[in-house]
Amino acid sequence: DGLITLEGADWNRHRRIIQPSFSSSFLKDTLNKSVPSKANQLVRCWKEKKGREIDVASHTSAITLDVIGDVGFGHQFHGMAEIEKWVKDEGSDKPAELEDPFISSIIQSLKPNMLTFFLSTVGMAAFDNKLNPKSVKCSRLVDKAVDDVVMNAKKSTEKDKSLLQLLLSATDTDPNNKKARKLSHAELKDETKTFLVAGHETTSTWCYWALYALAKHPDIQEKVCADIMKHSKGSNTIDFEMVDDME
């Protein structure tokens, strides 16, 4: 029950608690620390495999996971580590499936299932987690994995805070709110699932379709490249300030 599915007063309460953590200064600072180094790492891997076919969808998925892991949860998904393995492996064009239990459980929960489809069709979707053995197992895996991520955030002593760590101390500013001022452990788990599913797949998909569009339109690609070179001024690091100045 995260922001995507909540309604009414519960949605308003969650939004009031969560919204302040998404400040532009926090996002710019944390993304500037995470994205450039991982982008440079990805480019280096591609250069080392020049002439070899690349599964762009898998690679953008891996780097996006690592970024949202850093910024969102202070959690290491090791997506780029899988691409590094791919660089050294001459026999495969696709990185191995990520071994992180959080991602594995989320992927399993999203895979098509005939019983889930049937229950949804007949208006009994609410019974899926009780009647469908696969859904019950996946639900338990997801809960355990997310619980570990939230607990690790609570124990973290890192100086640089993740979004999840900010939410641990976030409170509702509405004086008329008669419910809990902070998100409960269960609510934090629900929002963690929401951020991952909503944030990772959309960004990853956007990235590889943007690369596809640029590959299909070399004239636009040249303009984008020229704009990047103009504002980066020879630097290998592109930060938010540079992006804001680009056309």
Side-chain angles (χ1 to χ4, degrees):
D1 291 327
L3 274 176
I4 292 178
T5 56
L6 287 173
E7 297 180 351
D10 287 330
W11 182 88
N12 282 319
R13 172 177 165 269
H14 275 236
R15 187 180 184 280
R16 286 194 304 270
I17 296 174
I18 292 171
Q19 184 64 34
S21 297
F22 283 87
S23 67
S24 59
S25 59
F26 167 76
L27 291 176
K28 284 184 178 181
D29 184 50
T30 52
L31 288 172
N32 276 340
K33 292 176 181 177
S34 179
V35 174
S37 61
K38 289 179 172 54
N40 287 337
Q41 184 181 6
L42 181 62
V43 170
R44 175 182 57 75
C45 288
W46 284 2
K47 285 183 176 180
E48 289 184 20
K49 287 300 181 180
K50 185 177 181 180
R52 182 178 173 184
E53 184 175 341
I54 297 173
D55 186 339
V56 177
S58 293
H59 288 211
T60 57
S61 178
I63 189 173
T64 306
L65 275 175
D66 277 0
V67 171
I68 197 171
D70 279 349
V71 176
F73 316 122
H75 180 82
Q76 298 302 314
F77 290 121
H78 304 294
M80 289 305 302
E82 296 297 331
I83 294 181
E84 292 284 2
K85 292 179 184 178
W86 167 82
V87 171
K88 298 175 182 177
D89 179 11
E90 297 294 338
S92 174
D93 287 330
K94 186 175 181 179
E97 289 189 9
L98 299 182
E99 298 177 354
D100 187 279
F102 190 8
I103 297 303
S104 299
S105 56
I106 290 288
I107 291 174
Q108 285 297 320
S109 70
L110 295 176
K111 285 183 177 179
N113 182 272
M114 289 303 298
L115 182 53
T116 299
F117 177 76
F118 171 76
L119 291 173
S120 298
T121 302
V122 298
M124 299 176 64
F127 292 93
D128 185 52
N129 284 336
K130 297 179 180 178
L131 301 177
N132 188 343
K134 181 179 178 181
S135 293
V136 171
K137 180 180 179 180
C138 287
S139 179
R140 288 174 179 170
L141 285 172
V142 170
D143 283 341
K144 174 63 171 63
V146 173
D147 191 57
D148 289 343
V149 170
V150 174
M151 291 304 297
N152 287 337
K154 289 182 176 181
K155 296 175 184 177
S156 176
T157 57
E158 292 290 333
K159 181 179 179 181
D160 295 328
K161 299 291 186 181
S162 67
L163 176 61
L164 180 55
Q165 287 169 304
L166 292 179
L167 291 180
L168 289 172
S169 57
T171 58
D172 189 355
T173 57
D174 184 0
N176 297 317
N177 175 30
K178 296 181 180 179
K179 293 188 176 182
R181 310 294 293 178
K182 291 187 177 183
L183 295 177
S184 67
H185 184 79
E187 289 172 327
L188 283 168
K189 287 171 60 177
D190 287 338
E191 293 302 349
T192 298
K193 297 175 195 176
T194 299
F195 295 152
L196 178 68
V197 175
H200 163 249
E201 198 61 32
T202 51
T203 306
S204 173
T205 301
W206 180 90
C207 285
Y208 73 71
W209 277 111
L211 291 172
Y212 174 80
L214 290 172
K216 295 291 288 185
H217 301 279
D219 55 325
I220 303 297
Q221 183 180 153
E222 290 180 5
K223 291 180 180 179
V224 172
C225 181
D227 196 33
I228 291 173
M229 295 304 293
K230 173 185 175 182
H231 290 90
S232 65
K233 299 177 182 178
S235 172
N236 287 329
T237 300
I238 300 176
D239 57 27
F240 252 102
E241 287 68 27
M242 295 179 186
V243 174
D244 284 341
D245 291 336
M246 292 180 186
E247 296 181 8

